[in-house]
Amino acid sequence: MTEIVTPAPHTAKPLRVRRRVPTRTPHQAAARGNGRLGGPLAALPWALPAFALVGVLLVYPFFRSVYDSFFEDNGFTSSFTGFDNYARLADDPVFGRSLLNTLMWVAGTLLLPVLAGLLIAVTTHRMRFGGIAQLVIVLPYAISAAATAVLWNFMLTSDGAVNQVLRTIGLGSWTQTWLLEWPQNTLSMIVASTWQATGLNVVLFAIGLRAIPRETVEAAQLDGASGWRMFRYVTLPQLRAVTVVVVGMAVVNSLKAFDMIWILTKGGPSRSSETLALSMYREAFRLFHIGYGSAIALVLSVIVVASSWIYLRRQMPEPDARAVNAKV
């Protein structure tokens, strides 16, 4: 209701005229929108293509792998075997070696690229030419994993660059057949992967260092913190969120390592350098043991999901009970 004042022609006082302004409550507006494109399902038509893509590329293959793991399937004939494929995993020495290699990749990826990326980012953060140094280290990340594997294959063969350099500097006794014996073939490939993956970690940690408030650093300096104490009690806690992301990505990438191993050794010799991802590919697509390969794929999926969930569960802060109760 609004009040409009208009002067009266023959009176000394102005005449007040009341006019009703139409208004609508939110409930009335929603009721008037019935039958139109609106409400909670308004975005459904736009989300359907994304749902379809996820269903075709992720959901259906997962459940199909679960289904195939209960069959002995060679691509032409199929017979139900129940849990025989999973029982076979426990007695297969190749699967045991693949699982061990996968754990080695996880440990190596956490110890080398993550720590190296953190050390380089902290060291070059306030260096005069630190940006150039970081750029040089990031460049290998721009190279594809296949190209990186070809480069390191040239370096790690028996007559490759590494052995030639060792002979040149008088360390011929250190020469090795880097890719032909276990476990040094797996360790050599982890080093090659570290050379490529460290650049991304440097970028992420550098972003985290730039996000640290300058006031926090200056206050710590006034309190006498410097060097290791500054890093341990100020810098590292401020990098917690970035570290969670870096470590999570490193764990997932190491569990699904495939392309570099396939190009360098193809899982050999005698399948000694295979990881779970490579064993799954060989069994399903090279040997046509589709049911057994599906069982390996399911085990790998469970390991990836479980490890990611446990890690994030432990790293994410718990909600404050008092804050939750206050909101309720």
Side-chain angles (χ1 to χ4, degrees):
M1 186 78 67
T2 60
E3 186 177 85
I4 302 175
V5 179
T6 58
H10 301 292
T11 60
K13 296 182 179 180
L15 180 63
R16 298 181 180 272
V17 179
R18 295 181 178 271
R19 296 181 181 177
R20 183 179 298 274
V21 178
T23 58
R24 290 187 300 172
T25 64
H27 297 287
Q28 292 173 340
R32 291 176 63 89
N34 291 339
R36 300 179 182 179
L37 187 60
L41 301 180
L44 184 59
W46 308 99
L48 284 178
F51 289 152
L53 189 64
V54 171
V56 171
L57 298 181
L58 294 178
V59 178
Y60 172 75
F62 173 77
F63 286 104
R64 182 57 189 266
S65 296
V66 174
Y67 175 80
D68 289 338
S69 66
F70 296 106
F71 289 81
E72 180 63 35
D73 189 355
N74 59 8
F76 298 97
T77 60
S78 178
S79 59
F80 180 77
T81 58
F83 291 93
D84 289 351
N85 287 322
Y86 296 97
R88 179 182 169 186
L89 293 175
D91 299 329
D92 188 357
V94 174
F95 175 78
R97 177 63 61 82
S98 299
L99 183 59
L100 178 59
N101 286 332
T102 301
L103 295 178
M104 290 176 62
W105 271 88
V106 173
T109 303
L110 292 178
L111 291 177
L112 295 179
V114 174
L115 292 181
L118 176 61
L119 178 62
I120 294 171
V122 172
T123 304
T124 60
H125 177 51
R126 297 190 181 279
M127 189 181 295
R128 181 176 181 182
F129 298 102
I132 298 176
Q134 292 178 1
L135 176 62
V136 172
I137 296 173
V138 169
L139 285 177
Y141 184 72
I143 305 174
S144 66
T148 302
V150 172
L151 174 63
W152 280 85
N153 184 53
F154 166 76
M155 298 173 59
L156 296 175
T157 53
S158 299
D159 57 346
V162 174
N163 284 339
Q164 291 182 13
V165 170
L166 291 176
R167 295 189 187 99
T168 302
I169 62 178
L171 298 176
S173 60
W174 289 19
T175 59
Q176 301 285 337
T177 53
W178 301 103
L179 299 176
L180 298 180
E181 296 181 10
W182 187 88
Q184 62 195 30
N185 50 11
T186 298
L187 296 177
S188 300
M189 289 185 289
I190 291 174
V191 172
S193 176
T194 299
W195 179 77
Q196 182 192 30
T198 301
L200 175 62
N201 298 335
V202 170
V203 172
L204 294 176
F205 281 122
I207 295 173
L209 289 171
R210 288 181 174 85
I212 297 177
R214 182 176 296 274
E215 295 80 4
T216 302
V217 178
E218 293 176 351
Q221 291 174 345
L222 291 175
D223 291 337
S226 62
W228 167 252
R229 294 183 61 189
M230 174 71 75
F231 174 77
R232 172 65 179 84
Y233 296 104
V234 178
T235 303
L236 195 59
Q238 294 288 331
L239 293 177
R240 176 182 175 84
V242 177
T243 305
V244 170
V245 175
V246 171
V247 173
M249 292 175 56
V251 171
V252 173
N253 290 333
S254 61
L255 288 173
K256 62 184 184 66
F258 176 85
D259 41 9
M260 184 171 293
I261 303 173
W262 182 256
I263 294 174
L264 285 175
T265 65
K266 287 185 170 58
S270 301
R271 305 184 67 174
S272 63
S273 61
E274 284 188 359
T275 58
L276 290 179
L278 204 67
S279 296
M280 178 271 296
Y281 170 78
R282 187 184 298 277
E283 293 290 344
F285 299 104
R286 306 284 288 189
L287 302 177
F288 296 102
H289 300 155
I290 298 176
Y292 189 57
S294 299
I296 297 176
L298 187 60
V299 171
L300 178 59
S301 300
V302 171
I303 292 175
V304 171
V305 173
S307 59
S308 302
W309 183 82
I310 293 173
Y311 172 72
L312 294 176
R313 178 88 175 178
R314 292 177 61 88
Q315 295 299 323
M316 292 294 101
E318 294 291 338
D320 191 355
R322 290 177 297 180
V324 174
N325 293 332
K327 290 182 180 180
V328 173

